[in-house]
């Protein structure tokens, strides 16, 4: 859009905003969501195994240093704290994903569920209502196809 008094001057400005993605629940959505959640749960299990292997390796290294007469209690305490924190994070994530998996079958076909957030660009021009442009931006998706977006 250009300024009427000066056609070479643009009056619009592009801004970033958050856009909510809502997906209409269908049988295809359920199948895809369960598959993705199962894969994510598998990745968490792999990360937990890697964490345990790294922990054991670090313990062995600290034991070797202790046998050489070095004081390792501080490092051992920090290692235990770090590993426990990471285990808790992974465990919490696993519980959340498992709950999502269980909830998928509880939602009726046709209902909308929030499946993500995106950052989008919106052009705001003189005379636009900024609150309408910046807020309540959402995209509706059905079986992977965008069926609507508002506001534009």
């Amino acid at each position: 859009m250009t300024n009427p008094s000066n056609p070479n001057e643009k009056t619009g400005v592009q801004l970033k905003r958050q856009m909510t993605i809502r997906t209409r629940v269908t049988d295809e959505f359920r199948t895809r969501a369960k598959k993705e959640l199962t894969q994510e749960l598998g990745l968490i299990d792999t990360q937990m195994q890697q964490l345990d292997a790294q922990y054991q390796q670090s313990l062995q290294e600290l034991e070797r240093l202790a046998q050489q007469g070095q004081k390792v209690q501080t490092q051992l305490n920090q290692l235990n704290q770090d590993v426990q924190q990471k285990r808790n994070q992974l465990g919490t994530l696993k519980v959340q994903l498992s709950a999502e998996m269980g909830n998928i079958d509880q939602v009726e076909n046709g209902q909308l569920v929030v499946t993500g957030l995106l950052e989008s660009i919106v052009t705001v021009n003189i005379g636009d209502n900024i609150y309408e442009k910046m807020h309540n931006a959402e995209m509706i998706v059905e079986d992977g196809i965008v069926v609507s977006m508002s506001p534009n």
Side-chain angles (χ1 to χ4, degrees), residues 71-86:
K71 295 184 180 187
V72 296
Q73 191 60 46
T74 302
Q75 293 102 322
L76 180 61
N77 290 342
Q78 186 65 48
L79 174 65
N80 285 331
Q81 183 179 348
D82 292 347
V83 168
Q84 190 59 45
Q85 181 181 6
K86 187 67 174 172

Side-chain angles (χ1 to χ4, degrees), residues 3-143:
N3 185 335
S5 62
N6 183 351
N8 295 325
E9 181 185 332
K10 292 188 176 188
T11 57
V13 63
Q14 292 186 329
L15 302 173
K16 290 182 184 179
R17 67 174 177 190
Q18 292 291 317
M19 177 175 274
T20 303
I21 301 172
R22 297 185 191 278
T23 300
R24 189 170 318 281
V25 175
T26 64
D27 292 335
E28 181 180 324
F29 167 76
R30 267 190 198 73
T31 301
R32 173 174 272 148
K34 285 180 182 179
K35 180 180 177 184
E36 289 175 5
L37 288 169
T38 299
Q39 289 173 342
E40 288 183 47
L41 286 167
L43 288 174
I44 290 172
D45 287 338
T46 299
Q47 288 176 341
M48 286 181 144
Q49 291 170 357
Q50 290 172 343
L51 179 64
D52 288 339
Q54 290 169 350
Y55 176 69
Q56 292 302 319
Q57 186 177 12
S58 296
L59 277 180
Q60 290 172 358
E61 179 65 22
L62 288 175
E63 286 174 9
R64 187 181 62 75
L65 292 173
Q67 289 172 356
Q68 294 175 356
Q70 295 185 30
K71 295 184 180 187
V72 296
Q73 191 60 46
T74 302
Q75 293 102 322
L76 180 61
N77 290 342
Q78 186 65 48
L79 174 65
N80 285 331
Q81 183 179 348
D82 292 347
V83 168
Q84 190 59 45
Q85 181 181 6
K86 187 67 174 172
R87 278 185 185 143
N88 289 342
Q89 289 172 345
L90 290 171
T92 299
L93 185 56
K94 189 171 183 174
V95 167
Q96 290 172 343
L97 292 174
S98 296
E100 284 183 38
M101 179 90 79
N103 290 337
I104 289 174
D105 289 327
Q106 306 303 318
V107 182
E108 294 181 22
N109 279 354
Q111 288 187 324
L112 294 175
V113 295
V114 175
T115 54
L117 287 174
L118 287 178
E119 197 172 81
S120 67
I121 303 293
V122 63
T123 301
V124 178
N125 295 295
I126 293 174
D128 287 346
N129 182 325
I130 193 160
Y131 300 112
E132 289 178 6
K133 287 279 189 166
M134 297 300 291
H135 297 293
N136 303 320
E138 73 175 9
M139 177 185 301
I140 307 295
V141 177
E142 186 172 336
D143 293 334

